Amino acid sequence: MALLEMKGIKKSFSGVPVLKGVDLTVSKGEVHALLGENGAGKSTLMNVLTGTIPCDGGSIVFDGQQAKNITVRKSEQMGIAFVHQELNLFNDLKVFENIFINREITGPLGMLNKKEMIRQSRELFERLGIKMDPCAMVSDLRTGEKQLLEISKSLLTGAKLLILDEPTTSLNNDEVEHLFAMVRDLKKKGISFIFISHKMPEIFSYCDSYTVFRNGEFIGSGKIADTTPEEVTKLMVGHAREQGSYEKRKTGDTVLELNDLCGKGFKNISFKVKKGEIVGFTGLQGCGSSELMQCLFGITKPFSGRLKVNGKEVTAHSVHNSMKAGIGLLPANRKETSVIPDMSLIENMYLAEHTLSACKFHINKKDEAGKYERYKKQLNIKAESGNSPIVSLSGGNQQKVFIARWLNTDAEILLFDNPTQGIDVGAKEEIYKLILSLANEGKTVLVNTLEIQELQKVADRCLVFYDGQIAGTLSHEEIEEHTVMMISTGSVANGNIETENEVETQ
């Protein structure tokens, strides 16, 4: 039985059609994957459903009732909750205060009944199997914990349909399993989910049905059991996904050298990287690889050990000194660490370069516009104008702007921390090509990712982290799921593992 039926939904912005009569049907007690590249219309449709924007045509039936003139409040009252990828929490409030914001419990005299709100929050967490202190400050929570808080918050209203937008992006493996254990339990109680994700393994492991949009149009839908990742990807992009074009390349002299470097989250790290080389970092969430990147960029200071850049030892660790040494960082979590939402594309791009050249008395807008146009062409940034707000772009195009930010500083060592986070399949392929192109131009790239397929597409070699240390080093040919998993879980040492191919031939 259908819980939600959206038929012929249309929406245009400034005369440009974004939704062209699309359909979406979600049954009761199912997890329905809503798929498509960034810009396909998924978010616009969800904004229509949750009352953020009105539609221009079509009909919506929810739980057997025709829904007209939907507002945010009406959507919540109907039983629809939207858990956004970009978390909407107040860091300077406590956990229970975030849960009850705009629905506070008060006493007879209008005073906040904090005791009751804390009790209900604790009861909610116990019911969902989440270990979290209702009185903790949200600013003290890990990103994964914030995601689970956001989901818990939506369930307090008794939602019948939860929209999960890239919910696992910031979760480690245990938290992902916990999340989907919650989803399975709630499914049994008749709650439905719309699951927006670009991670095919999760889609095919946890979803029941799917709908694909492309360029604002309905392309197809069906049961997950009746299709394959390749078929779904072809529906999303309109053609078979292009395979990676990794090739060996000549590398130059050593540009980065670490000797027994120890710091927050990592210890005894030693390796060398050559000019033009692409080195992958991987391991389980919290393995220390991301923390190492932050240290290399000067965000944190090492406890001990030595770091050399282009043969010169770095003694004064700071972001500014790292930038002066030619290092750029594309950090994880775009919204929190890269996006300046009130600035345009051009302003977001030139921010780093003008930090380095602070002695300039003014910004030459004509020069900056010229630089932006060059990088727009080089990186294939899809945007109408450099003066458009950065938030108007898709995730993939935002990442390209941030890459341009560092190319604009002439950075020679690029640190990419989870560069394809929340990016669709087509945009991922563009990022891979860009990484390979930058290396061919002589840039040195370090890529930290949990997705092994990404490393197979771009990395010359891979450093596998476990418990804050490098547990193994793999050549490009040796990078495969089984080997990486065995090393990253501490099951075996690098030198003692047999790959699946080796086992089969014995």
Side-chain angles (χ1 to χ4, degrees):
M1 181 178 178
L3 174 69
L4 171 69
E5 291 181 286
M6 304 181 77
K7 293 184 178 180
I9 304 299
K10 298 179 181 179
K11 182 62 187 178
S12 297
F13 293 106
S14 302
V16 178
V18 177
L19 294 176
K20 307 169 186 177
V22 300
D23 299 339
L24 175 65
T25 300
V26 180
S27 299
K28 288 185 178 180
E30 79 162 352
V31 181
H32 194 105
L34 181 56
L35 308 173
E37 296 187 276
N38 288 338
K42 306 185 302 296
S43 295
T44 301
L45 186 70
M46 294 301 96
N47 285 330
V48 167
L49 178 60
T50 54
T52 305
I53 58 174
C55 65
D56 299 332
S59 65
I60 301 174
V61 175
F62 186 80
D63 204 14
Q65 300 295 317
Q66 189 82 26
K68 296 181 179 180
N69 303 318
I70 299 176
T71 63
V72 173
R73 176 73 60 138
K74 186 176 180 180
S75 175
E76 291 177 351
Q77 291 172 345
M78 288 163 54
I80 300 171
F82 196 165
V83 181
H84 295 267
Q85 177 188 354
E86 298 179 343
L87 303 178
N88 295 309
L89 298 171
F90 293 92
N91 284 325
D92 54 350
L93 294 180
K94 294 180 179 179
V95 167
F96 82 89
E97 291 171 327
N98 271 271
I99 289 176
F100 283 93
I101 199 160
N102 285 332
R103 47 177 177 261
E104 293 84 356
I105 299 174
T106 57
L109 300 177
M111 299 291 289
L112 291 176
N113 190 338
K114 294 184 179 181
K115 186 176 181 180
E116 178 61 18
M117 288 189 282
I118 292 170
R119 187 194 68 78
Q120 290 192 24
S121 298
R122 187 171 286 115
E123 184 180 84
L124 175 66
F125 292 147
E126 288 176 357
R127 190 166 70 246
L128 298 175
I130 296 174
K131 295 180 180 179
M132 192 177 298
D133 181 4
C135 296
M137 294 296 296
V138 169
S139 57
D140 294 332
L141 300 181
R142 300 192 309 272
T143 304
E145 291 175 320
K146 290 181 181 180
Q147 180 73 71
L148 294 175
L149 171 58
E150 190 78 270
I151 294 170
S152 303
K153 177 181 171 184
S154 67
L155 291 171
L156 187 70
T157 61
K160 300 174 184 177
L161 173 66
L162 267 70
I163 304 164
L164 305 181
D165 186 5
E166 296 285 352
T168 65
T169 298
S170 303
L171 305 185
N172 62 35
N173 292 345
D174 289 341
E175 289 168 334
V176 170
E177 287 300 323
H178 189 187
L179 168 64
F180 284 108
M182 288 169 50
V183 169
R184 285 191 292 268
D185 184 57
L186 292 168
K187 271 179 58 179
K188 293 176 183 177
K189 298 175 182 177
I191 295 176
S192 302
F193 295 84
I194 294 176
F195 183 59
I196 302 173
S197 176
H198 299 114
K199 297 180 179 180
M200 288 295 168
E202 292 179 357
I203 291 165
F204 278 79
S205 295
Y206 303 113
C207 296
D208 303 303
S209 305
Y210 70 93
T211 294
V212 177
F213 290 173
R214 187 171 72 241
N215 297 326
E217 297 180 343
F218 171 85
I219 301 300
S221 63
K223 296 292 185 182
I224 287 291
D226 298 333
T227 189
T228 65
E230 291 73 23
E231 290 174 353
V232 169
T233 299
K234 187 174 181 180
L235 290 175
M236 290 169 61
V237 301
H239 53 78
R241 186 168 62 182
E242 190 174 334
Q243 297 301 309
S245 54
Y246 171 84
E247 291 181 359
K248 287 281 187 183
R249 76 195 73 78
K250 291 183 179 179
T251 55
D253 297 331
T254 297
V255 294
L256 183 66
E257 182 177 354
L258 282 67
N259 290 296
D260 288 324
L261 201 69
C262 300
K264 183 179 180 181
F266 62 90
K267 54 190 174 184
N268 306 125
I269 304 296
S270 298
F271 62 84
K272 296 180 182 179
V273 185
K274 294 182 178 181
K275 180 179 176 66
E277 189 176 11
I278 303 173
V279 178
F281 291 178
T282 194
L284 302 180
Q285 189 88 14
C287 64
S289 54
S290 183
E291 289 83 355
L292 176 60
M293 280 198 167
Q294 293 177 45
C295 182
L296 293 177
F297 190 59
I299 296 173
T300 61
K301 295 181 180 181
F303 304 150
S304 61
R306 299 171 66 189
L307 168 64
K308 289 184 179 180
V309 178
N310 291 316
K312 297 180 180 179
E313 186 167 355
V314 178
T315 55
H317 293 269
S318 69
V319 171
H320 191 73
N321 285 337
S322 294
M323 290 169 62
K324 286 172 65 177
I327 300 176
L329 172 66
L330 193 69
N333 301 319
R334 277 189 310 277
K335 181 184 178 183
E336 294 184 10
T337 53
S338 293
V339 174
I340 311 296
D342 294 331
M343 289 186 172
S344 67
L345 310 187
I346 293 177
E347 290 167 333
N348 267 274
M349 182 202 74
Y350 70 55
L351 195 63
E353 192 274 333
H354 281 279
T355 299
L356 284 174
S357 56
C359 58
K360 291 183 179 179
F361 294 107
H362 68 281
I363 295 172
N364 189 316
K365 292 188 177 180
K366 185 176 181 180
D367 287 348
E368 299 305 333
K371 291 178 185 177
Y372 166 77
E373 289 301 325
R374 288 198 299 274
Y375 288 122
K376 178 183 178 183
K377 183 177 181 180
Q378 178 186 348
L379 305 180
N380 192 27
I381 299 172
K382 297 172 184 175
E384 291 186 7
S385 168
N387 294 318
S388 301
I390 187 70
V391 293
S392 68
L393 297 190
S394 66
N397 284 295
Q398 285 183 1
Q399 287 292 62
K400 292 177 187 178
V401 171
F402 303 137
I403 292 172
R405 175 185 288 175
W406 296 113
L407 297 181
N408 197 36
T409 67
D410 295 322
E412 293 295 326
I413 301 173
L414 300 171
L415 312 176
F416 288 180
D417 192 356
N418 204 3
T420 61
Q421 175 178 306
I423 292 177
D424 64 61
V425 174
K428 282 185 176 183
E429 293 296 336
E430 287 195 61
I431 296 293
Y432 303 148
K433 289 181 182 179
L434 181 56
I435 290 172
L436 293 167
S437 174
L438 292 170
N440 284 325
E441 294 171 10
K443 302 289 186 183
T444 300
V445 187
L446 275 61
V447 182
N448 181 45
T449 179
L450 301 178
E451 298 189 33
I452 309 307
Q453 289 183 347
E454 295 192 345
L455 300 177
Q456 292 172 329
K457 290 178 179 292
V458 300
D460 298 310
R461 58 189 168 104
C462 170
L463 307 181
V464 185
F465 285 70
Y466 171 70
D467 194 26
Q469 294 182 285
I470 297 174
T473 301
L474 304 173
S475 66
H476 176 79
E477 294 74 20
E478 294 172 322
I479 300 172
E480 55 91 26
E481 294 274 358
H482 173 73
T483 305
V484 172
M485 183 55 64
M486 292 293 283
I487 299 173
S488 63
T489 56
S491 300
V492 294
N494 188 182
N496 297 327
I497 191 166
E498 293 177 330
T499 66
E500 291 177 346
N501 290 335
E502 289 172 336
V503 172
E504 288 174 2
T505 57
Q506 289 179 358

